[in-house]
Amino acid sequence: MKDTPTAPATLPTVSARIYPRGGLDILSRDEVARLKDASTGGLHDLLRRCALAVLTSGSANDDPRAAQEMYPDFDIQVLQQDRGLHIELVRAPAMAFVDGEIIRGVAELLFATVRDLAYMAIELGPEYAADVESSAGITDAVFGLLRNARLLHPSDPNLVVCWGGHSISRVEYEYTKLVGYELGLRGLDICTGCGPGAMKGPMKGANIAHAKQRQRRPRYIGITEPGIIAAESPNPIVNQLVIMPDIEKRLEAFVRIGHGIIVFPGGVGTAEEILYLLGLLLREENAELPFPLILTGPVSSAPYFEQIDRFIRLTLGDAATERYEIIVGDPQAVARRMAAGVKRVREARIHNKDSFYFNWGLDIPLPFQQPFVPTHEAMAGLDLHHGRKPHELAADLRRAFSGIVAGNVKEDGMRRIEAYGPFQIHGDRDMMESLDALLRAFVEQRRMKISGEYRPCYEVVT
């Protein structure tokens, strides 16, 4: 371990050699060689960006290019040796080290990053493209990724997925901690998108409750994808991280392993998640499936949920609102309702002979699984009109919000906006007016960006 001199105007760095544990510690020579080949090929730049995000865990910046500019000389190499492999870090952020030793939690997340990106390259490479063209094939790929990450445990249902924004107010953040605390007291584990804000708060609250209840192995699962992790570095409480290949597989992972979902205030990413799940729950095939969904926040966030509820009623109809409940300002009520909902999920899984750790019974059609690339043409071509089946309209509305997320925080999307200007979104007038009002509210409430002035990456055309 050695300190590395840094160039002027850059932050302190450390170079180090670390040895992986768990999932990468017992490998055959062939597996090590394939892993090394994957990391030195076209995957290397992606590995470098994701690793840098992990090494700056806890950063309050949501610009995916900021860390690269602060640590321009950072590099990572996966090297082979007789007993397996080791990871070489060159000019890594010093914030990831204490007295020259890498922080254990950061090291674990770094190993998870290498593991997942290598798995994608080796097991989901071009030669396997045909295997993920069908709905069943995509679900099998999601299952394989989660199993490889050691996230699937045959224990009683207790995993609550918490969605919400990375840019929220202090009052909202404190509320997420209170809800997490109440969930933790009831033995419920937490899964989020792994970033800051509403993704960190529930884990922080549950962490205290789990300690009080002497829960020995609590799970704080973070599910992300390459385009997001660079903008939303994992928060320090995450103890199990998995990187999915794209947003669609990330969303499927959430709903396959979660036993209930709580939604806190957020921006376009949160709206995307709500529409994705409602689109599934509105399908006839899932009509009888118990899936507790609670929207909650402090009393001051009541207008936010009222506006979300109005938008859902206008676009998807009143039937969609029957699949969720809104609870404002009452963390204990949220936790009690969720615990009761998870109990119903357990009973249904037993009755249907479905597994506790992976929801095979949820029907997810191919249009919800196929990756959406938000080009200007694709965004303008979304069919946002009345008269469609609610789950089909929900799928396109989800894509619209997904495109805005890409334009806000994903490097590829930001470059498209810089090159060709804002995305244009077309649809029925009342729907576009409601969408525009919702997006304007997100901007005014500073839900689009953590710091700096927000410049919209979209235009709503009425």
Side-chain angles (χ1 to χ4, degrees):
M1 197 78 64
K2 58 184 179 180
D3 289 337
T4 304
T6 58
T10 59
L11 297 175
T13 63
V14 172
S15 292
R17 177 177 296 179
I18 59 176
Y19 297 89
R21 302 174 185 174
L24 291 174
D25 49 0
I26 302 177
L27 298 171
S28 69
R29 288 187 175 183
D30 178 62
E31 288 172 322
V32 172
R34 293 168 70 194
L35 179 58
K36 182 175 180 294
D37 289 343
S39 68
T40 56
L43 185 68
H44 182 261
D45 184 58
L46 180 61
L47 174 60
R48 179 181 174 276
R49 285 188 281 118
C50 291
L52 188 55
V54 167
L55 291 165
T56 54
S57 176
S59 169
N61 197 308
D62 57 357
D63 185 337
R65 293 173 287 194
Q68 298 175 60
E69 293 170 356
M70 288 188 290
Y71 301 98
D73 299 323
F74 167 72
D75 198 15
I76 179 172
Q77 298 290 338
V78 178
L79 303 176
Q80 185 174 0
Q81 57 186 26
D82 287 341
R83 58 177 177 170
L85 57 85
H86 65 265
I87 296 173
E88 196 85 27
L89 299 175
V90 180
R91 296 185 176 87
M95 64 187 294
F97 297 80
V98 175
D99 298 335
E101 296 290 332
I102 192 166
I103 297 170
R104 184 170 179 175
V106 174
E108 290 177 355
L109 299 184
L110 186 62
F111 302 150
T113 299
V114 175
R115 176 201 67 208
D116 294 340
L117 296 185
Y119 184 92
M120 291 180 213
I122 295 171
E123 303 295 336
L124 300 177
E127 64 271 31
Y128 299 103
D131 295 341
V132 289
E133 290 180 353
S134 68
S135 180
I138 292 172
T139 295
D140 285 344
V142 171
F143 178 87
L145 282 156
L146 295 173
R147 182 174 61 182
N148 185 64
R150 303 182 179 182
L151 294 187
L152 305 180
H153 300 285
S155 57
D156 268 5
N158 79 327
L159 188 62
V160 178
V161 173
C162 294
W163 286 337
H166 68 295
S167 179
I168 58 175
S169 71
R170 188 70 197 182
V171 171
E172 290 169 342
Y173 176 68
E174 293 297 329
Y175 183 84
T176 69
K177 289 199 297 183
L178 292 173
V179 172
Y181 177 77
E182 294 294 339
L183 294 172
L185 288 177
R186 291 161 176 79
L188 297 169
D189 288 338
I190 307 295
C191 173
T192 76
C194 93
M199 292 167 275
K200 178 183 177 182
M203 291 184 173
K204 198 167 184 178
N207 185 252
I208 297 172
H210 288 151
K212 284 186 173 183
Q213 294 284 28
R214 301 298 188 263
Q215 193 165 327
R216 292 186 176 182
R217 295 184 179 178
R219 292 184 296 164
Y220 308 111
I221 298 173
I223 303 179
T224 186
E225 55 106 353
I228 290 291
I229 190 172
E232 296 178 1
S233 295
N235 73 70
I237 305 173
V238 172
N239 61 13
Q240 291 182 288
L241 174 71
V242 62
I243 301 176
M244 306 302 288
D246 50 60
I247 189 64
E248 287 75 16
K249 293 180 183 62
R250 182 195 191 201
L251 289 168
E252 181 164 351
F254 279 129
V255 299
R256 292 288 187 192
I257 68 170
H259 302 112
I261 292 181
I262 293 174
V263 182
F264 296 105
V268 285
T270 304
E272 174 186 5
E273 291 161 342
I274 294 171
L275 289 164
Y276 174 85
L277 182 55
L278 287 179
L280 297 179
L281 297 181
L282 286 172
R283 288 179 56 79
E284 185 178 346
E285 294 84 349
N286 299 322
E288 302 302 319
L289 192 74
F291 205 116
L293 173 59
I294 299 174
L295 280 57
T296 189
V299 173
S300 58
S301 298
Y304 167 87
F305 290 111
E306 290 170 1
Q307 189 168 18
I308 291 284
D309 186 68
R310 286 196 301 271
F311 180 76
I312 291 171
R313 289 178 187 275
L314 172 67
T315 55
L316 305 182
D318 290 341
T321 65
E322 297 175 4
R323 293 309 307 243
Y324 62 82
E325 58 181 317
I326 300 174
I327 301 175
V328 175
D330 195 340
Q332 286 190 356
V334 171
R336 290 194 191 103
R337 294 288 292 171
M338 182 52 63
V342 169
K343 184 178 180 181
R344 289 193 296 274
V345 168
R346 183 183 187 277
E347 294 167 351
R349 298 281 180 93
I350 293 173
H351 180 267
N352 296 326
K353 296 180 172 60
D354 197 2
S355 70
F356 285 166
Y357 54 83
F358 192 83
N359 189 353
W360 293 103
L362 181 66
D363 182 80
I364 304 181
L366 190 60
F368 281 78
Q369 298 173 304
Q370 292 173 319
F372 174 67
V373 181
T375 63
H376 283 70
E377 294 76 15
M379 289 290 283
L382 294 173
D383 185 3
L384 305 180
H385 297 87
H386 294 296
R388 305 183 66 194
K389 292 182 178 179
H391 68 270
E392 293 175 350
L393 177 57
D396 265 355
L397 284 168
R398 196 281 301 178
R399 294 184 184 102
F401 284 109
S402 185
I404 297 172
V405 172
N408 282 350
V409 301
K410 294 186 182 182
E411 192 166 352
D412 288 347
M414 293 170 70
R415 293 193 186 284
R416 287 194 184 98
I417 299 301
E418 290 168 356
Y420 305 110
F423 294 129
Q424 289 198 337
I425 305 172
H426 304 261
D428 283 340
R429 186 179 186 86
D430 61 342
M431 198 180 299
M432 292 302 96
E433 288 176 346
S434 182
L435 174 62
D436 187 50
L438 185 63
L439 294 172
R440 286 180 185 275
F442 289 167
V443 174
E444 292 168 1
Q445 296 162 16
R446 303 191 67 82
R447 300 189 185 279
M448 294 290 204
K449 193 172 181 63
I450 290 178
S451 60
E453 287 302 315
Y454 175 69
R455 182 175 299 176
C457 66
Y458 62 89
E459 291 178 357
V460 177
V461 182
T462 59

